[in-house]
Amino acid sequence: MIMGRAFLFWHPSQVVVLGFGLAVTVGTVLLALPAATTSGESAGWLVALFTATSAACVTGLAVVDTESHWSTFGEVVIAGLIQVGGLGIMTLATVFTVIISGRIGLRAKSFAQAETKTLSMTDIRAVVRKVVLFSLACEAVVAMVLAGRFWLGYDESFGRALYLGFFHAVSSFNNAGFALWSDNLMRFVVDPWICLTIAAAVIVGGLGFPVVFELVKQWRHPHRWSVLTRVTVVVTVVLLVGGTLVLLGTEWHNPATLGPLDDPGKFLAAFFAAVMPRTAGFNSLDISQMYPTSWLATDLLMFIGGGSAGTAGGIKVTTFGLLAFVIWAEMRGEPQVNVGHRRLPEAAQRQAISLTLVSVALVAVSTYLLLALTPHSLDRVLFEVVSAFGTVGLSTGITADTGVAGHLLLVLLMFIGRTGPLTLGSALALKDRTRRYQLPEERVIIG
């Protein structure tokens, strides 16, 4: 009874972290079963843990070949973990609560708010319903397009095409990056039906549900968009266009990537490569053969990630955009940070700065540790660490060769990257602390 009462006072972020931990645990047990592999033998706890974490945290990194290692049962488990991770443990829990009881309590609302990042507590039940229905509808449309292409364009049987369509629809909309081919999507590098459909699913899933809902209602009236929507849309477009141009310029003559393609194929492949670091992790080019300059550009895109309250990871385009406004206001000597005709609260500024600095520190420390644990070069290790933290799933090919300690470090990074550094930190705190006094102010020299 005492434990039950204590549970009622848990911070919602604690429940989110525990929920994802439970999903990873269940997924690990299922993937460790002999039925989950094509060989009929257990994959082992480390492989099962890594894959379950990668799927539940919608990352896409893999230490074994998904196509040849996992059975249909194992693939279904992976798809289920991706779906659960994408929608969020608390979102699904709220849906189940509504179905069973027909009503929702304040505590459950706060849990759902912590997961969906909604800005109001007025009607979480309606928000969650929209999130689930919108997600399933998008996945169904993407699945049908992909299934039709696999069936009519690649001579797959109808049943197999449908299975491939639904698996990759779930994987793309939830920004997971798992594919059922050993070369991921490299065989479809110049197929616009496959690449553009998956890219569209990744972008929509990574925008964030509040932004998507507002765009649906107000797409004809940009002047009515909220700060969240404006910043998300503008930064997303800038990153997609900028990323495409940078990768085009860098890889245009690379004989192992864009070099052999015709001009339309190069533009398609570069655009696809610029979309995936939003934290999807699919690749239509051989990442290991890219130039180090392209790896660095991809590192930056992966670290920023996608939109808030969506299926993407990273520090989020909103955080990146708000920091740009903070820097601009400071350079102009303005006492307040304004975005359009709105003033940015100081709490949001502190949160953006804290999240970014914590993320940079985490990436730096993890890169140092992985460098010490493996013989790989700095550029490859940094790429792997940022990919894991940003829940992206792209790799230069060293994931399987990082050793047991390296695998466990990547598992931790993927988990933290999905739950969020600040969410994880607040989950460890038993309660919020407030200071009832203020100290005298003293200016310090900066720079």
Side-chain angles (χ1 to χ4, degrees):
M1 187 67 180
I2 296 178
M3 292 182 62
R5 290 181 179 178
F7 177 80
L8 293 177
F9 293 97
W10 284 6
H11 193 280
S13 59
Q14 289 178 297
V15 183
V16 172
V17 173
L18 291 175
F20 274 97
L22 179 61
V24 170
T25 301
V26 173
T28 301
V29 173
L30 293 177
L31 291 176
L33 297 175
T37 64
T38 55
S39 64
E41 300 179 356
S42 174
W45 290 107
L46 182 58
V47 172
L49 172 64
F50 191 98
T51 306
T53 305
S54 183
C57 297
V58 291
T59 304
L61 286 176
V63 291
V64 294
D65 180 54
T66 303
E67 178 187 26
S68 60
H69 187 84
W70 301 110
S71 65
T72 301
F73 172 76
E75 293 170 358
V76 171
V77 171
I78 291 173
L81 289 171
I82 293 171
Q83 187 72 81
V84 170
L87 287 177
I89 297 297
M90 288 306 102
T91 304
L92 291 179
T94 305
V95 172
F96 295 150
T97 302
V98 172
I99 293 175
I100 294 173
S101 65
R103 53 193 176 88
I104 184 170
L106 181 60
R107 178 60 55 173
K109 285 185 179 183
S110 65
F111 292 162
Q113 184 190 35
E115 176 56 31
T116 60
K117 308 289 192 306
T118 50
L119 301 180
S120 173
M121 288 282 289
T122 56
D123 195 358
I124 298 298
R125 182 170 61 179
V127 170
V128 171
R129 186 187 300 113
K130 290 180 181 179
V131 167
V132 175
L133 292 178
F134 178 79
S135 300
L136 296 180
C138 287
E139 290 172 359
V141 172
V142 173
M144 292 298 101
V145 174
L146 294 178
R149 183 58 177 166
F150 293 140
W151 182 36
L152 301 175
Y154 294 93
D155 297 325
E156 296 283 357
S157 66
F158 180 76
R160 176 65 177 172
L162 201 61
Y163 175 73
L164 291 173
F166 274 98
F167 183 93
H168 292 91
V170 171
S171 185
S172 58
F173 182 79
N174 292 290
N175 282 217
F178 278 94
L180 297 182
W181 295 280
S182 298
D183 62 355
N184 204 275
L185 299 180
M186 290 174 59
R187 64 187 65 189
F188 308 114
V189 63
V190 293
D191 188 332
W193 281 99
I194 301 296
C195 291
L196 292 181
T197 300
I198 288 179
V202 169
I203 293 173
V204 173
L207 278 177
F209 298 118
V211 173
V212 170
F213 293 157
E214 185 170 355
L215 287 176
V216 171
K217 291 182 178 180
Q218 303 288 350
W219 67 275
R220 293 183 179 180
H221 308 285
H223 62 281
R224 298 180 183 176
W225 291 357
S226 65
V227 171
L228 173 65
T229 298
R230 291 184 182 184
V231 173
T232 300
V233 172
V234 171
V235 177
T236 295
V237 171
V238 169
L239 292 178
L240 289 179
V241 174
T244 301
L245 294 177
V246 169
L247 293 176
L248 265 178
T250 305
E251 299 291 326
W252 186 273
H253 296 292
N254 188 340
T257 56
L258 295 183
L261 306 179
D262 57 17
D263 288 354
K266 288 179 180 179
F267 278 94
L268 176 62
F271 174 73
F272 192 82
V275 171
M276 293 308 114
R278 289 181 57 80
T279 77
F282 291 106
N283 64 282
S284 62
L285 297 173
D286 189 348
I287 302 297
S288 66
Q289 298 301 313
M290 284 184 169
Y291 294 132
T293 47
S294 296
W295 288 345
L296 179 59
T298 306
D299 287 340
L300 296 175
L301 293 174
M302 292 191 297
F303 184 77
I304 296 171
S308 299
T311 55
I315 64 171
K316 304 297 188 298
V317 294
T318 313
T319 303
F320 180 76
L322 294 184
L323 285 178
F325 280 104
V326 171
I327 294 173
W328 179 247
E330 189 64 27
M331 291 177 62
R332 298 182 63 180
E334 297 181 352
Q336 297 177 338
V337 179
N338 300 319
V339 181
H341 299 289
R342 295 291 185 270
R343 177 171 54 86
L344 186 65
E346 292 185 2
Q349 300 175 43
R350 291 196 301 269
Q351 185 178 9
I353 294 173
S354 300
L355 175 60
T356 303
L357 291 180
V358 169
S359 300
V360 169
L362 184 63
V363 168
V365 172
S366 300
T367 301
Y368 175 86
L369 293 176
L370 200 58
L371 272 174
L373 294 171
T374 67
H376 302 296
S377 61
L378 173 60
D379 48 6
R380 291 181 181 271
V381 168
L382 177 62
F383 193 99
E384 198 79 10
V385 167
V386 176
S387 180
F389 168 75
T391 67
V392 179
L394 294 174
S395 175
T396 59
I398 68 171
T399 308
D401 301 323
T402 55
V404 175
H407 291 165
L408 293 177
L409 175 61
L410 292 176
V411 165
L412 181 61
L413 275 173
M414 289 187 288
F415 189 83
I416 294 177
R418 176 53 180 151
T419 58
L422 293 184
T423 299
L424 185 61
S426 62
L428 299 177
L430 295 178
K431 60 180 180 179
D432 296 331
R433 294 175 174 84
T434 58
R435 178 170 291 180
R436 302 181 182 277
Y437 60 90
Q438 289 185 336
L439 297 175
E441 183 181 275
E442 180 178 347
R443 299 282 295 181
V444 296
I445 299 176
I446 304 296

